[in-house]
Amino acid sequence: MKKTNLSLPSHLETINKDDKYKIILAEQELIQWIEKLKAKKIFSIYTKTNHSNYMLANLIGISFAIEEKIAMYIPFAHDYQDAPKQLNYKWVLSKLKPLLEDPTRSKVGYNLKYDLHILARYGIQLRGIQHDIMIASHILNSTSRKNDIVSLAVDFLEHQCQCISLEKIARKGKQQFKFNQITLEETLPYSAKYADIILQLHNKIFKKIEHDSELKLIYKNIEIPLIFILFKMERTGVLIDDALLNLHSYKISNRLQELEFKIYKITNNRFNINSTKQLQTILFESMNFPIIKKTPSGKPSTSEEVLQELALYYPLPKLILEYRNLTKLKSNYIEKLPKMINMNTGRIHTSYHQVMTTTGRLSSSDPNLQNIPIRNKLGRRIRKAFIAKDNYKILSVDYSQIELRIMAHLSGDKNLLNAFQQGKDIHIATAAEILSVNAKKISNEQRYRAKAINFGLIYGISAFGLAKQLNISQYEAQQYINRYFKRYSGIFLYMENLRKIAYKQGFVETLFKRRIYLPEIKSKNKIRQKAAERSAINAPIQGTAADIIKKAMLLVSEWIEFKANDNVELLMQVHDELVFEVHKSILETAKNKIQKLMESAAKLNIPLLTKAKYGDDWDQAH
DNA sequence: TACATCACG
DNA sequence: ACGTACGTGATGTAC
Ligand SMILES: [Mg+2]
């Protein structure tokens, strides 16, 4: 943008010629290219930015490909010394805007949710998102960890030399995010190339998805439309009461000082309580506490489970537990969340990831809003900091026992289906069955144990795990499991069959036929093979729940768009829960409608039920 | 960067 | 005879 070199350096011309890549520096060239883009059924798009945070990133340039090997790059913000004069970005974007916003012009990209954010910063609403190769490759194999563009190019395209150069560039990109300092000579071969590769990859990957009509439905009808929904959720963000968090911060700091003082008094030693290594020395050498459990690397564990047990005999572990609890909440939430508030919006903007889990669940990061505390008192106080804007309230709607219902549906077990059909308290019903006792006589402890069994089943139950969870003997746990499978024989058969299927075909499926590959199912290592068997049991259940809530998000978003715009915003998804910001004038309407929509997201052999509540904050909404 | 720990569903 | 609960992300420490 500084220099006035109108003509391209000769060595750049050479690159252009070889790869048919074009660098756009003149207005007329862009006009011509826009016509080329319009002439294509689909084109690929790739945005280059100066930041990984979507709320802060600015465009450095943008590239497009229309056919294999035919791609171009429009730089606007390369400002290294002697950079050639580049087109004015406002002018470029004004020319591209109609094309980018036209829903009838199909686009393919890599992680287009990011491009949506970037373009939104420039007042452009990207429409016509037809394909996303990041998501497509995850649909094909959710177990693979290599979903980045370079790895996909290595897997799907057989251009070895191309890939090597790309890897080099990628490494450079990781080290430094100063793309504006990269010269055009360096950038052209890969900025345009990324667009080229995205288009080439799309042709390969989508062909594989098309082969399977059910995979195609998940991809086309769930995942692709979900991109825009997640984009909106991220961009909307959630309002945080940082004054409340700061107040807790102050109180907790005081309590932590007290705890430190008490701990040092007992141990007669000032040490870093956060250091597991130092704590190990104190507990198991100085204090001579018995070693209850070892970590995978063979060192004595100081985990909560161990400290709980030691706390039965000594006063110190209880102090450590409280210290741990407080420091965790302090650093992860109370101190972290206020720092994450965006200066412009005053809200927190998480990132939802569509391709980070094997089962099809979403994940959330920066910050993670799917692990906000709720299980203890202080945790719920943190949750109180999630609030609604003036005249709005927080509405939370979550599925009731969705995973157990799915297990009943998938297995077809008569007994479990019946229990749900009759609207019974499922844990009481389980306890009554296992113990052969009338449901009215089930105690709290018996219900609690049955609940642990029900959870265990979803995790691919083992006597060891259940015994540990309930603090009972392995023998006793095995008795429970045996009695459960006797009463719910359909569940037993379902799980046996799932192990067989997983072994035979190497993958399992959700209700909607999303695939989860289990490469370890044939491992010679028995530990790994057993772990894969448990995943084989868990994945269809967890994955079906993920599919269902994604469908629900689409249904609800459609209703919001056409019937409740400006009055309802979808803010968060926490696996079986959707959280909304709702105008006070339509709280009851929204609550009822959203429950109906969520409950209709899938037709199972038993009803799908939700619980809903609203309040001033996320805690009140529970 | 690996490990241990712990927040959530 | 093995040594295990399923799926995530973030933190602080130690190497
Ligand atoms: Mg629930």
Side-chain angles (χ1 to χ4, degrees), chain A residues 525-576:
Chain A
N525 179 335
K526 285 283 171 211
I527 301 161
R528 290 180 170 204
Q529 197 244 332
K530 287 273 179 207
E533 281 185 7
R534 291 193 296 272
S535 293
I537 288 163
N538 174 262
I541 299 171
Q542 191 185 110
T544 299
D547 292 342
I548 290 174
I549 197 163
K550 283 177 173 176
K551 281 169 171 270
M553 291 165 76
L554 297 174
L555 288 174
V556 171
S557 296
E558 194 187 1
W559 171 74
I560 291 173
E561 186 185 349
F562 292 110
K563 295 283 166 59
N565 222 344
D566 297 333
N567 285 323
V568 182
E569 295 261 32
L570 175 54
L571 303 180
M572 293 182 279
Q573 188 254 40
V574 195
H575 310 305
D576 73 339

Side-chain angles (χ1 to χ4, degrees), chain A residues 453-502:
Chain A
I453 292 167
N454 280 330
F455 270 104
L457 287 159
I458 291 164
Y459 296 156
I461 203 155
S462 71
F464 180 90
L466 185 61
K468 197 169 78 169
Q469 184 66 36
L470 289 178
N471 230 325
I472 59 178
S473 73
Q474 237 182 100
Y475 175 81
E476 207 179 344
Q478 190 59 55
Q479 295 305 306
Y480 281 138
I481 294 170
N482 292 345
R483 274 182 274 175
Y484 182 94
F485 281 141
K486 209 165 185 181
R487 290 295 186 161
Y488 301 92
S489 55
I491 303 291
F492 178 76
L493 293 174
Y494 167 69
M495 290 182 174
E496 276 302 302
N497 190 242
L498 218 39
R499 287 191 182 89
K500 252 187 239 161
I501 288 173

Side-chain angles (χ1 to χ4, degrees), chain A residues 194-209:
Chain A
Y194 269 41
D196 179 17
I197 285 178
I198 286 166
L199 191 58
Q200 290 187 44
L201 280 170
H202 161 63
N203 291 331
K204 297 260 183 189
I205 295 174
F206 186 57
K207 224 167 248 160
K208 293 198 182 203
I209 289 180

Side-chain angles (χ1 to χ4, degrees), chain A residues 398-400 576:
Chain A
D398 78 300
Y399 284 110
S400 306
D576 73 339

Side-chain angles (χ1 to χ4, degrees), chain A residues 54-55 113 117 226-238 347-352 362 369-370 553-554 557 560 569-574 577-580:
Chain A
Y54 64 79
M55 292 300 285
K113 177 158 63 62
H117 278 296
L226 194 67
I227 294 170
F228 185 76
I229 308 305
L230 296 175
F231 156 74
K232 269 206 78 176
M233 292 165 71
E234 291 176 347
R235 203 139 197 93
T236 302
V238 54
R347 296 164 77 103
I348 284 188
H349 303 267
T350 184
S351 289
Y352 287 107
L362 297 177
L369 295 187
Q370 290 180 321
M553 291 165 76
L554 297 174
S557 296
I560 291 173
E569 295 261 32
L570 175 54
L571 303 180
M572 293 182 279
Q573 188 254 40
V574 195
E577 171 188 14
L578 298 179
V579 182
F580 303 85

